Amino acid sequence: MVDIPEHLLIKTAEARAKALGISVEQALAEMKGEVEPTTISKEPEVIDVKPIEVKEAPAPAAEVKEAPAPAAEVKEAPAPAPAAGVKTDVPAEVDFAPETRVTQRLLTVVKAKPIQKPTSEPVDKVNTWPHLMLPEFISLMAMTAFLIFISAILQAPLLEEANPNITPNPAKAPWYFLGLQELLSYWDPQIAGVMIPLIIGVAAFMAIPYIDRNKDNKPSKRKYAIMLWTFFLAGAGTLSLIGILFRGPGWNWTYPWIDGVWFDDLLDWVHFE
Amino acid sequence: MKNEKIKFRDRVKDISAGLGDSLKESSLWGSIFRPGSPFRKGYSDSPRNRSYVVMNNVLYHLHPVKVKRHAVRLSYTLCLGGLSFFTFIVLTITGIWLMFYFRPTEMAYVDIQSLQTSIAFGSLVRNMHRWAAHIMVIVVFLHMSRVFYHGAYKAPREFNWVIGVILLLLTLLLSFTGYLLPWDQLAIWAVTVGGNMASYTPVIGAQVKFALFAGLEATEATLLRFYVLHVLFLPFIIVIFMAIHFWRVRKDGGISGPL
């Protein structure tokens, strides 16, 4: 304990001097046990030390100055006595925090607020395993079961071998393009163009998040967007249904319950084998 | 008699449990299942192990360890994104299986016929592949609608919506290229109609159709072209975009909401 660097000692002394309102030299001397320590006039805030001990503090400290032995008595520890006897030239101070002396003091007041500012509210979270993975697993199993079931009862269509010389009437695109095919039947495709509207349409799809700057995602706050999408769904669904079910030879209007279904993907459905 | 039966069943149970224990204690078993796996000996349900289940598994760690509470409600996502991915996996597995029996030449139609008549489970696997393809188009589109109705494309998820639109286009292209492969009248004429739509592209219409069909009309060259696009090129591209899509879901803070 004796080998405390000089600059640290001085720093401590300066702090002590500031706290007690005494000169640095005096504080240093007090710490080395050369002078009687200044008693603290104010009650320290938080310290759980009995006031009697505070009052007693100066007395043993004063004795330390004369002979180290009584200090040992105070601590009820016999060990320091021989050590002090050996090194008599070393001042037997250095006991910076004797149990009876109050050294704590208020340096600064830190306001009770976090250093990091939370930018978002804490989110209520649950473990992925099992709370997410179990429903996922069940839906995968359900999908597999459904797929095997419909594959067992519905035969995928296979017509005659491809023949470029025999054009079926009507010739229909895959079902997801039938809405587009229906739309094209209204205008001369050369005039309307196809890919340009399609490219513009796809680009508009991609641009949706950059067009819709409304930050709210509550349905009641974005009625216009929901209305537009619902119109799009209804329009695409209607056109596709017309193309799938209500168009026959020559792309003329037919009723599926009168003229039959002109859609080969559906033709062989419910085909029990 | 009945009592003896129960005893026998108990003995079988004991023996199998003992076998299971000694198997789980073996170093081979321990080397296969990483710490935290529910299949490992001494697995207990603790928050730490629940994290390990996800973290220590190459497939599961697509997920974060924890997700928002509302995200696990089936009524929120209807599992549509997961099912899109799952139908893609089903299509990959059945598709690879079908590749063993299919030649993209003038033999294509014969191969499909023999697949349906003389190969074990051939008909079932072909049906699964076809219906799963239709289901995938529907599910991907429903997923897109779900995302729109939840406003889930809003910041910071704008770009993931763009990737999602690309994935929808790739899904349609995959389905369209696969449509030709049975090489029957339905296939060739549906693709011809689709290709004719592409030929209405202003200015470069003829060139677009020529590039798509490898000629002026749907021939066996078109079949080979669509086959390569269908089994290699487009799956390759779509997997890259799916990886970015899933990664962005994580990086953008999990799924959106709650509303």
Side-chain angles (χ1 to χ4, degrees):
Chain A
M1 265 196 85
V2 184
D3 298 328
I4 294 173
E6 189 66 20
H7 69 280
L8 286 183
L9 262 178
I10 290 172
K11 253 192 175 175
T12 320
E14 276 169 0
R16 187 173 168 80
K18 198 182 173 190
L20 297 176
I22 53 177
S23 71
V24 179
E25 292 77 31
Q26 196 189 346
L28 203 58
E30 280 175 19
M31 281 160 55
K32 288 182 176 173
E34 290 159 4
V35 193
E36 224 173 278
T38 315
T39 43
I40 301 157
S41 53
K42 269 192 285 181
E43 276 293 311
E45 287 89 331
V46 212
I47 301 142
D48 195 15
V49 179
K50 287 166 192 164
I52 308 157
E53 286 175 348
V54 179
K55 278 177 191 169
E56 278 177 1
E63 284 173 358
V64 168
K65 184 177 66 177
E66 292 152 14
E73 277 178 14
V74 174
K75 289 185 175 179
E76 294 179 0
V86 174
K87 309 188 204 175
T88 39
D89 52 334
V90 179
E93 65 305 8
V94 230
D95 198 3
F96 289 131
E99 290 161 31
T100 51
R101 207 185 296 168
V102 176
T103 56
Q104 295 97 327
R105 63 194 183 280
L106 184 71
L107 285 178
T108 183
V109 176
V110 181
K111 278 181 192 165
K113 67 175 182 187
I115 298 168
Q116 288 180 318
K117 280 185 185 168
T119 49
S120 59
E121 291 293 304
V123 186
D124 187 15
K125 288 192 167 183
V126 292
N127 274 101
T128 302
W129 169 265
H131 299 295
L132 177 60
M133 285 173 62
L134 212 60
E136 268 182 354
F137 182 72
I138 291 168
S139 50
L140 299 193
M141 290 295 106
M143 174 58 99
T144 311
F146 174 68
L147 202 56
I148 291 175
F149 176 71
I150 61 164
S151 300
I153 62 163
L154 299 179
Q155 186 59 42
L158 187 68
L159 311 184
E160 319 81 67
E161 188 167 6
N163 187 346
N165 300 319
I166 302 170
T167 310
N169 188 8
K172 288 189 176 184
W175 62 266
Y176 35 82
F177 288 148
L178 280 182
L180 196 63
Q181 199 180 353
E182 170 68 16
L183 198 64
L184 287 176
S185 69
Y186 299 150
W187 305 295
D188 186 333
Q190 295 287 4
I191 298 163
V194 179
M195 293 318 266
I196 291 250
L198 207 65
I199 289 162
I200 290 172
V202 169
F205 257 51
M206 289 183 182
I208 282 174
Y210 304 100
I211 295 167
D212 178 12
R213 300 318 292 173
N214 174 12
K215 288 201 172 68
D216 229 308
N217 70 348
K218 285 194 168 49
S220 57
K221 297 272 174 66
R222 45 195 298 271
K223 288 176 181 165
Y224 186 65
I226 285 176
M227 182 192 76
L228 280 184
W229 188 267
T230 310
F231 278 177
F232 164 73
L233 281 188
T238 309
L239 283 174
S240 299
L241 269 183
I242 292 173
I244 290 167
L245 293 175
F246 294 90
R247 289 295 178 183
W251 209 254
N252 291 317
W253 187 273
T254 57
Y255 291 100
W257 51 90
I258 297 171
D259 310 304
V261 177
W262 299 90
F263 180 63
D264 294 314
D265 262 323
L266 275 177
L267 208 57
D268 268 359
W269 273 36
V270 195
H271 188 101
F272 292 94
E273 284 188 291
Chain B
M1 188 64 194
K2 198 186 174 192
N3 207 16
E4 270 178 27
K5 258 187 186 172
I6 290 169
K7 267 184 191 169
F8 178 70
R9 192 189 297 160
D10 283 349
R11 270 200 66 196
V12 170
K13 238 181 168 178
D14 285 349
I15 289 167
S16 61
L19 276 177
D21 278 351
S22 58
L23 182 65
K24 281 188 169 183
E25 278 164 17
S26 69
S27 58
L28 173 68
W29 191 269
S31 74
I32 295 170
F33 297 102
R34 301 202 64 213
S37 167
F39 300 111
R40 240 173 118 96
K41 186 173 185 292
Y43 175 83
S44 61
D45 188 27
S46 65
R48 190 166 179 265
N49 272 343
R50 286 180 174 198
S51 308
Y52 274 156
V53 168
V54 178
M55 272 196 296
N56 282 356
N57 187 302
V58 66
L59 293 177
Y60 302 165
H61 95 279
L62 202 66
H63 284 308
V65 165
K66 284 191 164 192
V67 288
K68 296 170 188 165
R69 187 179 291 277
H70 77 94
V72 303
R73 261 178 28 228
L74 196 62
S75 59
Y76 188 74
T77 62
L78 302 170
C79 216
L80 287 168
L83 286 177
S84 310
F85 183 43
F86 180 66
T87 46
F88 177 78
I89 291 169
V90 170
L91 284 163
T92 307
I93 294 167
T94 54
I96 289 172
W97 192 89
L98 290 170
M99 279 172 75
F100 285 122
Y101 304 104
F102 181 80
R103 284 165 288 181
T105 60
E106 72 272 13
M107 301 300 286
Y109 184 73
V110 178
D111 285 346
I112 298 289
Q113 273 185 326
S114 64
L115 186 75
Q116 296 211 140
T117 52
S118 56
I119 289 163
F121 298 110
S123 192
L124 180 76
V125 176
R126 171 167 131 77
N127 291 349
M128 278 178 74
H129 194 74
R130 192 174 183 101
W131 302 136
H134 289 329
I135 289 171
M136 184 174 170
V137 172
I138 295 168
V139 169
V140 167
F141 191 74
L142 289 178
H143 175 56
M144 189 184 189
S145 294
R146 196 284 292 174
V147 166
F148 187 92
Y149 281 126
H150 283 167
Y153 56 80
K154 297 184 177 189
R157 299 181 179 81
E158 302 106 315
F159 190 64
N160 220 10
W161 168 273
V162 176
I163 293 169
V165 175
I166 294 171
L167 285 173
L168 174 72
L169 291 180
L170 287 169
T171 306
L172 290 177
L173 276 175
L174 270 166
S175 178
F176 184 66
T177 50
Y179 219 85
L180 182 67
L181 300 188
W183 201 236
D184 63 346
Q185 280 290 75
L186 176 62
I188 188 174
W189 287 103
V191 167
T192 301
V193 171
N196 284 340
M197 286 187 195
S199 75
Y200 296 141
T201 310
V203 188
I204 54 163
Q207 284 82 350
V208 168
K209 193 185 171 190
F210 192 88
L212 196 63
F213 278 11
L216 294 173
E217 54 187 15
T219 59
E220 271 135 29
T222 319
L223 184 62
L224 179 63
R225 178 153 299 193
F226 274 40
Y227 178 75
V228 174
L229 286 175
H230 185 74
V231 303
L232 206 65
F233 181 79
L234 291 171
F236 179 69
I237 303 288
I238 204 171
V239 163
I240 292 172
F241 277 99
M242 282 197 307
I244 302 172
H245 197 64
F246 300 159
W247 178 75
R248 278 302 292 253
V249 171
R250 290 279 300 270
K251 292 294 155 185
D252 294 341
I255 78 165
S256 72
L259 291 182

